[in-house]
Amino acid sequence: MEDDLFEPILPSSGSSELRQSRYLSKVQNRNLYLATFGAVLGPLSFGFVLGFSSPAISDLKNAEDPNLRLDKETASWFGSIVTIGAAAGGILGGWMVDRVGRKLSLMLCAFPFVFGFAVIISAQNVWMMLGGRVLTGLASGVTSLVVPVYISETSHSRLRGALGSCVQLMVVTGILGAYIAGMLMGWRWLAVLCSIPPVLMLMFMCLMPETPQYLINKKRQTEAMAALRFLRGPNVDHESVFSSSQVDSLKMADFREPAIYKPFITGILLMFFQQASGINAIMFYADMIFEEANFENSSLASVIVGLVQVAFTAVAALIMDRAGRKLLLLLSGVVMAVSTGLFGVYFRISVVNMNNSSGLMSPEGPAEGPTDPLAWLALLSMGLFIAGFAIGWGPIPWLLMSEIFPLRARGVASGVCVVTNWGCAFLVTKVFHQLLDLLTSYGTFWLFAAFCGLNVLFTVLCVPETRGKTLEQIESYFQQGSERGRLCDTIQ
Protein backbone atom coordinates (compact mmCIF):
# COMPACT_ATOMS: atom_id res chain seq x y z
CA MET A 1 0.00 0.00 0.00
CA GLU A 2 2.77 2.42 0.95
CA ASP A 3 4.54 1.75 -2.34
CA ASP A 4 1.61 3.26 -4.23
CA LEU A 5 1.42 6.46 -2.19
CA PHE A 6 3.53 8.64 -4.47
CA GLU A 7 2.81 6.87 -7.76
CA PRO A 8 0.74 8.72 -10.38
CA ILE A 9 -2.89 7.87 -9.63
CA LEU A 10 -4.17 8.53 -13.12
CA PRO A 11 -4.99 5.58 -15.34
CA SER A 12 -3.09 5.35 -18.58
CA SER A 13 -3.46 3.53 -21.87
CA GLY A 14 -0.47 1.77 -23.38
CA SER A 15 -1.18 2.95 -26.92
CA SER A 16 -1.86 6.49 -25.74
CA GLU A 17 1.40 6.53 -23.78
CA LEU A 18 3.33 5.25 -26.81
CA ARG A 19 1.78 7.81 -29.14
CA GLN A 20 2.50 10.60 -26.64
CA SER A 21 6.10 9.43 -26.22
CA ARG A 22 6.72 9.40 -29.98
CA TYR A 23 5.18 12.85 -30.25
CA LEU A 24 7.32 14.32 -27.46
CA SER A 25 10.52 12.83 -28.87
CA LYS A 26 10.15 15.11 -31.91
CA VAL A 27 9.14 18.27 -30.06
CA GLN A 28 11.42 21.32 -30.14
CA ASN A 29 11.26 23.35 -26.92
CA ARG A 30 13.15 26.58 -27.73
CA ASN A 31 10.11 28.72 -28.48
CA LEU A 32 8.22 27.14 -25.59
CA TYR A 33 10.96 28.41 -23.27
CA LEU A 34 10.67 31.87 -24.84
CA ALA A 35 6.89 31.92 -24.36
CA THR A 36 7.30 30.82 -20.76
CA PHE A 37 9.90 33.51 -20.12
CA GLY A 38 7.59 36.19 -21.50
CA ALA A 39 4.71 34.96 -19.35
CA VAL A 40 6.70 34.71 -16.11
CA LEU A 41 7.67 38.37 -16.33
CA GLY A 42 4.15 38.77 -14.90
CA PRO A 43 4.94 36.81 -11.71
CA LEU A 44 8.25 38.71 -11.52
CA SER A 45 6.19 41.91 -11.51
CA PHE A 46 3.94 40.85 -8.68
CA GLY A 47 6.95 39.51 -6.79
CA PHE A 48 8.22 43.10 -6.81
CA VAL A 49 4.77 44.18 -5.58
CA LEU A 50 4.94 41.78 -2.64
CA GLY A 51 8.57 42.56 -1.80
CA PHE A 52 8.07 46.33 -2.10
CA SER A 53 6.13 46.59 1.16
CA SER A 54 8.89 45.42 3.50
CA PRO A 55 11.61 48.01 2.68
CA ALA A 56 9.03 50.71 1.93
CA ILE A 57 7.36 50.34 5.33
CA SER A 58 10.75 50.63 7.04
CA ASP A 59 11.42 53.89 5.14
CA LEU A 60 7.93 55.35 5.49
CA LYS A 61 7.76 54.81 9.24
CA ASN A 62 10.51 57.42 9.47
CA ALA A 63 9.39 59.66 6.58
CA GLU A 64 10.02 63.38 7.06
CA ASP A 65 6.69 64.29 5.46
CA PRO A 66 3.94 63.69 8.07
CA ASN A 67 1.42 63.11 5.26
CA LEU A 68 3.42 60.05 4.14
CA ARG A 69 4.52 58.74 7.52
CA LEU A 70 3.10 55.31 8.40
CA ASP A 71 2.01 54.42 11.91
CA LYS A 72 1.33 50.88 13.08
CA GLU A 73 -2.21 50.79 11.65
CA THR A 74 -1.43 52.35 8.26
CA ALA A 75 1.65 50.14 7.93
CA SER A 76 -0.62 47.14 8.44
CA TRP A 77 -2.93 48.39 5.67
CA PHE A 78 0.01 49.19 3.38
CA GLY A 79 1.18 45.59 3.64
CA SER A 80 -2.20 43.91 3.41
CA ILE A 81 -4.34 46.06 1.09
CA VAL A 82 -2.57 44.69 -1.97
CA THR A 83 -4.29 41.38 -1.28
CA ILE A 84 -7.72 43.05 -1.55
CA GLY A 85 -6.82 44.23 -5.03
CA ALA A 86 -5.47 40.79 -5.85
CA ALA A 87 -8.71 39.11 -4.73
CA ALA A 88 -10.64 41.47 -7.03
CA GLY A 89 -8.11 40.62 -9.73
CA GLY A 90 -8.97 36.94 -9.29
CA ILE A 91 -12.61 37.69 -10.08
CA LEU A 92 -11.69 39.87 -13.04
CA GLY A 93 -9.12 37.38 -14.29
CA GLY A 94 -11.60 34.50 -14.14
CA TRP A 95 -13.85 36.45 -16.49
CA MET A 96 -11.10 37.78 -18.76
CA VAL A 97 -9.23 34.52 -19.30
CA ASP A 98 -12.24 32.89 -20.95
CA ARG A 99 -13.54 35.98 -22.77
CA VAL A 100 -10.49 37.72 -24.23
CA GLY A 101 -7.98 34.89 -24.00
CA ARG A 102 -4.92 34.04 -21.97
CA LYS A 103 -2.43 36.15 -23.95
CA LEU A 104 -4.45 39.38 -24.08
CA SER A 105 -5.43 39.07 -20.41
CA LEU A 106 -1.76 38.90 -19.49
CA MET A 107 -0.83 41.85 -21.70
CA LEU A 108 -3.57 44.01 -20.19
CA CYS A 109 -2.16 43.34 -16.69
CA ALA A 110 0.80 45.58 -17.48
CA PHE A 111 -1.33 48.73 -17.33
CA PRO A 112 -2.55 48.56 -13.69
CA PHE A 113 0.96 47.46 -12.67
CA VAL A 114 2.56 50.56 -14.20
CA PHE A 115 -0.24 52.96 -13.30
CA GLY A 116 -0.30 51.71 -9.71
CA PHE A 117 3.42 52.29 -9.24
CA ALA A 118 3.08 55.70 -10.93
CA VAL A 119 0.50 56.66 -8.31
CA ILE A 120 2.85 55.51 -5.54
CA ILE A 121 5.79 57.44 -7.03
CA SER A 122 3.75 60.64 -7.17
CA ALA A 123 1.99 60.08 -3.82
CA GLN A 124 1.36 63.16 -1.69
CA ASN A 125 -0.40 61.32 1.12
CA VAL A 126 -1.01 57.86 2.52
CA TRP A 127 -4.29 57.44 0.62
CA MET A 128 -2.53 57.77 -2.73
CA MET A 129 -0.03 55.12 -1.71
CA LEU A 130 -2.82 52.78 -0.64
CA GLY A 131 -4.61 53.41 -3.94
CA GLY A 132 -1.47 52.53 -5.86
CA ARG A 133 -1.11 49.36 -3.82
CA VAL A 134 -4.67 48.34 -4.69
CA LEU A 135 -4.00 48.81 -8.41
CA THR A 136 -0.79 46.77 -8.32
CA GLY A 137 -2.67 44.16 -6.30
CA LEU A 138 -5.39 44.02 -8.97
CA ALA A 139 -2.78 43.32 -11.63
CA SER A 140 -1.13 40.73 -9.36
CA GLY A 141 -4.41 38.87 -8.92
CA VAL A 142 -5.06 38.64 -12.65
CA THR A 143 -1.46 37.62 -13.29
CA SER A 144 -1.49 34.91 -10.62
CA LEU A 145 -4.45 33.31 -12.41
CA VAL A 146 -3.53 33.79 -16.06
CA VAL A 147 0.15 32.83 -16.06
CA PRO A 148 -0.22 29.29 -14.61
CA VAL A 149 -3.04 28.63 -17.08
CA TYR A 150 -1.01 30.01 -20.01
CA ILE A 151 2.02 27.89 -19.14
CA SER A 152 0.04 24.69 -18.53
CA GLU A 153 -1.76 25.04 -21.88
CA THR A 154 1.36 25.82 -23.90
CA SER A 155 3.68 23.25 -22.30
CA HIS A 156 3.66 19.46 -22.60
CA SER A 157 3.63 16.81 -19.88
CA ARG A 158 7.41 16.34 -19.70
CA LEU A 159 8.05 20.00 -18.91
CA ARG A 160 4.78 21.22 -17.37
CA GLY A 161 5.95 20.74 -13.78
CA ALA A 162 9.30 22.48 -14.28
CA LEU A 163 7.88 25.35 -16.32
CA GLY A 164 4.88 25.71 -14.01
CA SER A 165 7.24 26.01 -11.04
CA CYS A 166 8.91 28.96 -12.75
CA VAL A 167 5.86 31.01 -11.78
CA GLN A 168 6.77 30.83 -8.10
CA LEU A 169 10.48 31.08 -8.92
CA MET A 170 9.94 34.44 -10.58
CA VAL A 171 7.69 35.63 -7.75
CA VAL A 172 10.40 34.99 -5.17
CA THR A 173 13.02 36.46 -7.50
CA GLY A 174 10.96 39.64 -7.61
CA ILE A 175 10.64 39.65 -3.81
CA LEU A 176 14.40 39.22 -3.46
CA GLY A 177 15.04 41.94 -6.03
CA ALA A 178 12.84 44.34 -4.06
CA TYR A 179 14.66 43.49 -0.82
CA ILE A 180 18.10 44.07 -2.35
CA ALA A 181 17.06 47.25 -4.18
CA GLY A 182 15.42 48.51 -0.98
CA MET A 183 18.84 48.45 0.71
CA LEU A 184 20.31 50.61 -2.06
CA MET A 185 17.59 53.15 -2.87
CA GLY A 186 14.64 55.00 -1.41
CA TRP A 187 11.04 53.85 -1.73
CA ARG A 188 10.20 56.15 -4.68
CA TRP A 189 13.11 54.93 -6.80
CA LEU A 190 12.25 51.39 -5.77
CA ALA A 191 8.74 51.94 -7.17
CA VAL A 192 10.30 53.14 -10.44
CA LEU A 193 12.34 49.94 -10.63
CA CYS A 194 9.26 47.83 -9.89
CA SER A 195 7.42 49.30 -12.90
CA ILE A 196 10.00 48.01 -15.42
CA PRO A 197 9.16 44.24 -15.50
CA PRO A 198 5.48 44.72 -16.52
CA VAL A 199 6.57 46.93 -19.43
CA LEU A 200 8.95 44.23 -20.60
CA MET A 201 6.18 41.64 -20.23
CA LEU A 202 3.84 43.67 -22.44
CA MET A 203 6.49 44.02 -25.15
CA PHE A 204 7.52 40.34 -24.99
CA MET A 205 4.00 38.90 -25.02
CA CYS A 206 3.18 40.81 -28.21
CA LEU A 207 5.43 38.29 -29.98
CA MET A 208 4.01 35.15 -28.34
CA PRO A 209 0.99 33.06 -29.45
CA GLU A 210 -2.32 32.40 -27.72
CA THR A 211 -2.63 28.96 -26.12
CA PRO A 212 -3.69 26.12 -28.47
CA GLN A 213 -6.45 24.89 -26.11
CA TYR A 214 -8.10 28.30 -26.02
CA LEU A 215 -7.94 28.65 -29.80
CA ILE A 216 -9.36 25.17 -30.36
CA ASN A 217 -12.22 25.89 -27.96
CA LYS A 218 -12.98 29.07 -29.92
CA LYS A 219 -13.12 27.06 -33.18
CA ARG A 220 -9.90 28.59 -34.49
CA GLN A 221 -8.15 25.35 -35.47
CA THR A 222 -5.84 26.92 -38.06
CA GLU A 223 -4.48 29.40 -35.50
CA ALA A 224 -4.20 26.62 -32.91
CA MET A 225 -2.06 24.48 -35.19
CA ALA A 226 0.08 27.52 -36.04
CA ALA A 227 0.55 28.14 -32.30
CA LEU A 228 1.56 24.51 -31.78
CA ARG A 229 4.05 24.66 -34.64
CA PHE A 230 5.57 27.81 -33.11
CA LEU A 231 5.72 26.34 -29.59
CA ARG A 232 6.81 22.79 -30.38
CA GLY A 233 8.34 22.86 -33.83
CA PRO A 234 7.04 22.29 -37.37
CA ASN A 235 8.16 18.66 -37.75
CA VAL A 236 5.54 17.09 -35.48
CA ASP A 237 2.09 15.74 -36.33
CA HIS A 238 0.19 17.85 -33.81
CA GLU A 239 -3.24 16.90 -35.11
CA SER A 240 -2.73 13.23 -34.21
CA VAL A 241 -2.30 14.11 -30.54
CA PHE A 242 -4.66 17.02 -29.97
CA SER A 243 -8.41 16.83 -30.23
CA SER A 244 -10.11 19.52 -32.29
CA SER A 245 -13.44 19.20 -30.50
CA GLN A 246 -14.92 22.16 -28.65
CA VAL A 247 -16.34 22.07 -25.14
CA ASP A 248 -19.60 23.54 -23.89
CA SER A 249 -19.66 26.56 -21.61
CA LEU A 250 -19.85 25.97 -17.87
CA LYS A 251 -23.27 25.85 -16.20
CA MET A 252 -24.17 25.71 -12.52
CA ALA A 253 -25.58 22.21 -12.98
CA ASP A 254 -22.12 21.06 -14.06
CA PHE A 255 -20.89 21.40 -10.47
CA ARG A 256 -22.71 18.14 -9.71
CA GLU A 257 -20.22 16.32 -11.94
CA PRO A 258 -17.15 14.73 -10.27
CA ALA A 259 -14.91 16.20 -12.99
CA ILE A 260 -15.91 19.67 -11.75
CA TYR A 261 -16.57 19.53 -8.01
CA LYS A 262 -13.70 17.24 -6.99
CA PRO A 263 -10.89 19.38 -8.45
CA PHE A 264 -12.82 22.53 -7.48
CA ILE A 265 -12.88 21.67 -3.77
CA THR A 266 -9.32 20.34 -3.89
CA GLY A 267 -8.11 23.57 -5.50
CA ILE A 268 -9.85 25.79 -2.94
CA LEU A 269 -8.39 23.82 -0.02
CA LEU A 270 -4.91 23.96 -1.57
CA MET A 271 -5.11 27.75 -1.64
CA PHE A 272 -6.50 27.95 1.89
CA PHE A 273 -3.75 25.81 3.38
CA GLN A 274 -1.05 27.69 1.46
CA GLN A 275 -2.06 30.96 3.11
CA ALA A 276 -2.90 29.42 6.51
CA SER A 277 0.79 28.55 6.83
CA GLY A 278 1.36 32.29 7.42
CA ILE A 279 3.69 32.78 4.45
CA ASN A 280 2.47 36.22 3.39
CA ALA A 281 2.37 37.58 6.94
CA ILE A 282 5.97 36.46 7.40
CA MET A 283 7.16 37.85 4.04
CA PHE A 284 5.30 41.19 4.28
CA TYR A 285 6.74 41.86 7.72
CA ALA A 286 10.14 40.20 7.35
CA ASP A 287 12.08 43.35 8.26
CA MET A 288 9.82 44.00 11.25
CA ILE A 289 10.11 40.42 12.52
CA PHE A 290 13.89 40.58 12.48
CA GLU A 291 13.98 44.07 13.97
CA GLU A 292 11.78 42.97 16.82
CA ALA A 293 13.81 39.81 17.27
CA ASN A 294 16.74 42.24 17.88
CA PHE A 295 18.67 41.01 14.84
CA GLU A 296 21.56 43.37 14.12
CA ASN A 297 20.80 43.98 10.41
CA SER A 298 17.17 43.18 9.65
CA SER A 299 17.38 44.20 5.97
CA LEU A 300 20.35 41.91 5.38
CA ALA A 301 18.56 39.08 7.17
CA SER A 302 15.57 39.56 4.85
CA VAL A 303 17.86 39.38 1.80
CA ILE A 304 19.39 36.15 3.10
CA VAL A 305 15.89 34.71 3.53
CA GLY A 306 15.06 35.82 -0.02
CA LEU A 307 18.14 34.06 -1.37
CA VAL A 308 17.09 30.86 0.40
CA GLN A 309 13.63 31.16 -1.14
CA VAL A 310 14.97 31.62 -4.67
CA ALA A 311 17.45 28.75 -4.31
CA PHE A 312 14.93 26.22 -3.04
CA THR A 313 12.24 27.29 -5.52
CA ALA A 314 14.79 26.64 -8.28
CA VAL A 315 15.45 23.20 -6.77
CA ALA A 316 11.71 22.51 -6.79
CA ALA A 317 11.50 23.46 -10.47
CA LEU A 318 14.35 21.10 -11.32
CA ILE A 319 12.93 18.06 -9.48
CA MET A 320 9.19 18.68 -9.85
CA ASP A 321 8.71 16.28 -12.76
CA ARG A 322 10.91 13.61 -11.15
CA ALA A 323 9.85 13.62 -7.50
CA GLY A 324 6.20 14.36 -8.15
CA ARG A 325 3.84 16.94 -6.64
CA LYS A 326 2.61 14.92 -3.67
CA LEU A 327 5.99 13.97 -2.19
CA LEU A 328 7.20 17.57 -2.35
CA LEU A 329 4.00 18.84 -0.71
CA LEU A 330 4.44 16.39 2.17
CA LEU A 331 8.11 17.27 2.67
CA SER A 332 7.26 20.96 2.49
CA GLY A 333 4.47 20.72 5.06
CA VAL A 334 6.62 18.86 7.58
CA VAL A 335 9.51 21.35 7.28
CA MET A 336 7.15 24.32 7.66
CA ALA A 337 5.49 22.82 10.73
CA VAL A 338 8.87 22.23 12.40
CA SER A 339 10.23 25.69 11.51
CA THR A 340 7.20 27.67 12.69
CA GLY A 341 7.26 25.60 15.86
CA LEU A 342 10.91 26.60 16.34
CA PHE A 343 10.03 30.25 15.74
CA GLY A 344 7.47 29.97 18.52
CA VAL A 345 10.08 28.38 20.79
CA TYR A 346 12.44 31.28 20.08
CA PHE A 347 9.88 33.89 21.13
CA ARG A 348 8.87 31.84 24.15
CA ILE A 349 12.49 31.63 25.31
CA SER A 350 12.86 35.36 24.72
CA VAL A 351 9.92 36.07 26.99
CA VAL A 352 11.23 33.85 29.76
CA ASN A 353 14.93 34.72 29.60
CA MET A 354 14.90 38.34 28.45
CA ASN A 355 12.07 39.70 30.58
CA ASN A 356 9.70 40.29 27.66
CA SER A 357 12.35 42.23 25.70
CA SER A 358 10.98 41.05 22.35
CA GLY A 359 9.09 43.89 20.71
CA LEU A 360 6.59 41.43 19.19
CA MET A 361 5.26 40.95 22.69
CA SER A 362 4.87 44.67 23.33
CA PRO A 363 2.37 46.95 21.53
CA GLU A 364 4.76 49.87 22.11
CA GLY A 365 7.46 48.32 19.90
CA PRO A 366 10.77 46.58 20.39
CA ALA A 367 12.65 47.07 23.59
CA GLU A 368 15.96 48.85 23.44
CA GLY A 369 18.92 46.71 24.28
CA PRO A 370 21.86 44.70 23.00
CA THR A 371 21.62 42.22 20.20
CA ASP A 372 19.72 39.11 21.19
CA PRO A 373 22.14 36.14 21.47
CA LEU A 374 19.33 33.90 20.22
CA ALA A 375 18.74 35.95 17.06
CA TRP A 376 20.40 33.14 15.09
CA LEU A 377 17.44 30.90 16.02
CA ALA A 378 15.02 33.40 14.49
CA LEU A 379 17.04 33.48 11.26
CA LEU A 380 17.36 29.68 11.22
CA SER A 381 13.62 29.25 11.74
CA MET A 382 12.80 31.76 9.02
CA GLY A 383 15.27 30.13 6.62
CA LEU A 384 13.84 26.66 7.25
CA PHE A 385 10.29 27.89 6.79
CA ILE A 386 11.06 29.65 3.52
CA ALA A 387 13.03 26.65 2.20
CA GLY A 388 10.17 24.29 3.08
CA PHE A 389 7.56 26.57 1.54
CA ALA A 390 9.61 27.14 -1.61
CA ILE A 391 10.09 23.45 -2.34
CA GLY A 392 6.42 22.51 -2.18
CA TRP A 393 3.59 24.69 -0.90
CA GLY A 394 4.87 27.72 -2.77
CA PRO A 395 4.81 26.55 -6.40
CA ILE A 396 2.66 23.40 -6.33
CA PRO A 397 -0.81 24.79 -5.46
CA TRP A 398 -0.55 27.16 -8.43
CA LEU A 399 0.70 24.35 -10.65
CA LEU A 400 -2.10 21.99 -9.60
CA MET A 401 -4.66 24.77 -10.10
CA SER A 402 -3.61 24.98 -13.74
CA GLU A 403 -3.63 21.17 -14.16
CA ILE A 404 -6.71 19.74 -12.46
CA PHE A 405 -9.55 21.90 -13.85
CA PRO A 406 -11.23 20.92 -17.15
CA LEU A 407 -11.08 23.48 -19.94
CA ARG A 408 -14.71 24.59 -19.63
CA ALA A 409 -14.28 25.35 -15.90
CA ARG A 410 -10.71 26.60 -15.95
CA GLY A 411 -11.49 30.31 -15.92
CA VAL A 412 -14.24 30.25 -13.29
CA ALA A 413 -12.64 27.65 -11.01
CA SER A 414 -9.21 29.27 -11.21
CA GLY A 415 -10.80 32.62 -10.42
CA VAL A 416 -12.44 31.23 -7.29
CA CYS A 417 -9.12 29.70 -6.22
CA VAL A 418 -7.28 32.98 -6.72
CA VAL A 419 -9.94 34.87 -4.74
CA THR A 420 -9.65 32.26 -1.97
CA ASN A 421 -5.87 32.57 -1.95
CA TRP A 422 -5.68 36.34 -1.84
CA GLY A 423 -8.69 36.67 0.46
CA CYS A 424 -6.99 34.38 2.98
CA ALA A 425 -3.73 36.29 2.44
CA PHE A 426 -5.52 39.53 3.34
CA LEU A 427 -7.01 38.05 6.49
CA VAL A 428 -3.68 36.61 7.63
CA THR A 429 -1.63 39.74 6.91
CA LYS A 430 -4.24 42.17 8.27
CA VAL A 431 -4.84 40.34 11.55
CA PHE A 432 -1.17 39.43 12.07
CA HIS A 433 -0.62 42.28 14.53
CA GLN A 434 -3.88 41.46 16.31
CA LEU A 435 -2.86 37.81 16.57
CA LEU A 436 0.42 38.88 18.14
CA ASP A 437 -1.50 40.84 20.79
CA LEU A 438 -4.14 38.15 21.35
CA LEU A 439 -2.09 34.95 21.21
CA THR A 440 1.38 36.43 21.88
CA SER A 441 4.16 36.04 19.34
CA TYR A 442 4.95 32.43 20.18
CA GLY A 443 1.25 31.50 20.21
CA THR A 444 0.82 32.99 16.72
CA PHE A 445 3.67 30.97 15.24
CA TRP A 446 2.46 27.81 16.97
CA LEU A 447 -0.95 28.42 15.36
CA PHE A 448 0.78 28.56 11.96
CA ALA A 449 2.58 25.32 12.88
CA ALA A 450 -0.77 23.64 13.59
CA PHE A 451 -2.10 24.64 10.16
CA CYS A 452 1.08 23.31 8.55
CA GLY A 453 0.44 19.99 10.29
CA LEU A 454 -3.10 19.96 8.92
CA ASN A 455 -1.89 20.58 5.38
CA VAL A 456 0.28 17.43 5.65
CA LEU A 457 -2.83 15.41 6.54
CA PHE A 458 -4.77 17.05 3.71
CA THR A 459 -2.01 16.16 1.22
CA VAL A 460 -2.00 12.50 2.24
CA LEU A 461 -5.77 12.14 2.00
CA CYS A 462 -6.89 14.48 -0.75
CA VAL A 463 -4.22 15.52 -3.26
CA PRO A 464 -3.81 13.47 -6.47
CA GLU A 465 -0.45 12.93 -8.15
CA THR A 466 -0.50 14.43 -11.67
CA ARG A 467 3.14 13.97 -12.62
CA GLY A 468 3.70 12.95 -16.25
CA LYS A 469 0.05 13.17 -17.32
CA THR A 470 -1.53 15.31 -20.02
CA LEU A 471 -4.28 17.75 -19.11
CA GLU A 472 -6.71 15.53 -21.02
CA GLN A 473 -5.74 12.47 -18.95
CA ILE A 474 -6.17 14.41 -15.70
CA GLU A 475 -9.64 15.57 -16.74
CA SER A 476 -10.55 12.01 -17.74
CA TYR A 477 -9.44 10.73 -14.33
CA PHE A 478 -11.70 13.09 -12.41
CA GLN A 479 -14.59 12.34 -14.76
CA GLN A 480 -14.36 8.56 -14.67
CA GLY A 481 -12.77 7.95 -11.25
CA SER A 482 -10.28 5.18 -10.54
CA GLU A 483 -9.83 2.40 -8.05
CA ARG A 484 -6.33 3.73 -7.47
CA GLY A 485 -7.66 7.23 -6.73
CA ARG A 486 -6.92 8.64 -3.32
CA LEU A 487 -9.26 11.55 -3.10
CA CYS A 488 -10.66 12.51 0.26
CA ASP A 489 -13.87 10.72 1.19
CA THR A 490 -15.50 14.01 2.08
CA ILE A 491 -15.54 15.13 -1.55
CA GLN A 492 -16.81 11.90 -3.09
Side-chain angles (χ1 to χ4, degrees), residues 9-29:
I9 64 171
L10 307 178
S12 60
S13 163
S15 59
S16 175
E17 291 278 343
L18 181 60
R19 185 170 65 251
Q20 185 74 7
S21 178
R22 289 174 176 171
Y23 171 81
L24 293 176
S25 66
K26 300 178 181 179
V27 163
Q28 300 172 3
N29 294 318

Side-chain angles (χ1 to χ4, degrees), residues 55-69:
I57 287 174
S58 296
D59 286 349
L60 290 167
K61 279 183 175 180
N62 303 308
E64 295 181 2
D65 187 346
N67 293 323
L68 296 174
R69 192 175 302 135

Side-chain angles (χ1 to χ4, degrees), residues 302-466:
S302 296
V303 170
I304 293 173
V305 166
L307 287 169
V308 171
Q309 193 174 28
V310 170
F312 279 88
T313 304
V315 170
L318 291 173
I319 66 175
M320 184 72 66
D321 287 315
R322 299 179 184 177
R325 285 63 157 153
K326 192 164 186 173
L327 175 60
L328 292 179
L329 281 177
L330 286 172
L331 177 63
S332 173
V334 170
V335 172
M336 289 194 300
V338 171
S339 57
T340 46
L342 284 175
F343 228 139
V345 169
Y346 163 76
F347 284 114
R348 180 61 179 167
I349 293 174
S350 297
V351 169
V352 174
N353 294 344
M354 302 176 67
N355 194 25
N356 197 26
S357 63
S358 171
L360 281 175
M361 294 297 298
S362 171
E364 287 76 24
E368 297 294 332
T371 301
D372 185 352
L374 285 175
W376 64 269
L377 182 57
L379 182 58
L380 174 65
S381 301
M382 178 77 88
L384 277 175
F385 178 85
I386 296 302
F389 181 83
I391 207 166
W393 277 92
I396 293 177
W398 298 106
L399 174 60
L400 286 173
M401 180 192 78
S402 66
E403 289 181 324
I404 62 178
F405 297 132
L407 181 60
R408 57 183 162 143
R410 199 163 290 157
V412 172
S414 297
V416 173
C417 286
V418 170
V419 171
T420 300
N421 186 285
W422 288 107
C424 291
F426 169 74
L427 291 176
V428 172
T429 53
K430 187 66 184 75
V431 305
F432 184 58
H433 286 287
Q434 287 76 11
L435 284 174
L436 295 173
D437 293 335
L438 178 65
L439 301 177
T440 72
S441 54
Y442 55 84
T444 299
F445 282 98
W446 284 341
L447 177 63
F448 290 152
F451 276 113
C452 291
L454 287 176
N455 74 35
V456 172
L457 182 63
F458 166 73
T459 301
V460 171
L461 296 176
C462 303
V463 178
E465 178 58 77
T466 59

Side-chain angles (χ1 to χ4, degrees), residues 84-264:
I84 296 178
I91 298 173
L92 178 62
W95 177 83
M96 289 176 61
V97 77
D98 285 334
R99 298 302 189 281
V100 304
R102 284 64 161 144
K103 174 184 173 179
L104 184 57
S105 296
L106 188 54
M107 294 173 64
L108 292 174
C109 288
F111 296 100
F113 269 129
V114 174
F115 186 60
F117 278 117
V119 172
I120 292 173
I121 293 165
S122 60
Q124 302 300 310
N125 53 57
V126 171
W127 289 106
M128 289 184 69
M129 290 191 294
L130 294 180
R133 290 286 282 170
V134 170
L135 285 172
T136 56
L138 180 74
S140 298
V142 177
T143 302
S144 63
L145 184 153
V146 176
V147 175
V149 172
Y150 182 87
I151 292 176
S152 73
E153 292 185 358
T154 54
S155 58
H156 50 77
S157 58
R158 286 185 182 174
L159 289 176
R160 195 174 62 242
L163 298 182
S165 299
C166 289
V167 173
Q168 185 68 13
L169 177 60
M170 295 302 279
V171 171
V172 298
T173 300
I175 292 173
L176 175 62
Y179 285 171
I180 295 175
M183 298 176 64
L184 305 174
M185 61 184 68
W187 62 271
R188 289 189 193 273
W189 282 109
L190 179 58
V192 173
L193 176 66
C194 291
S195 64
I196 295 175
V199 175
L200 296 177
M201 176 189 70
L202 176 63
M203 297 169 60
F204 212 96
M205 287 306 297
C206 288
L207 306 175
M208 297 298 112
E210 180 57 87
T211 71
Q213 278 88 345
Y214 176 81
L215 293 170
I216 288 173
N217 194 44
K218 295 299 180 180
K219 302 181 180 180
R220 294 155 63 182
Q221 280 83 3
T222 302
E223 293 177 60
M225 291 303 114
L228 282 169
R229 285 191 292 272
F230 175 85
L231 292 166
R232 304 184 187 179
N235 302 320
V236 187
D237 183 9
H238 300 293
E239 295 186 12
S240 67
V241 176
F242 286 85
S243 170
S244 61
S245 60
Q246 292 78 45
V247 298
D248 297 328
S249 58
L250 184 68
K251 305 178 182 64
M252 285 300 297
D254 293 337
F255 281 92
R256 293 196 295 259
E257 299 179 15
I260 303 295
Y261 73 77
K262 286 182 180 180
F264 184 69

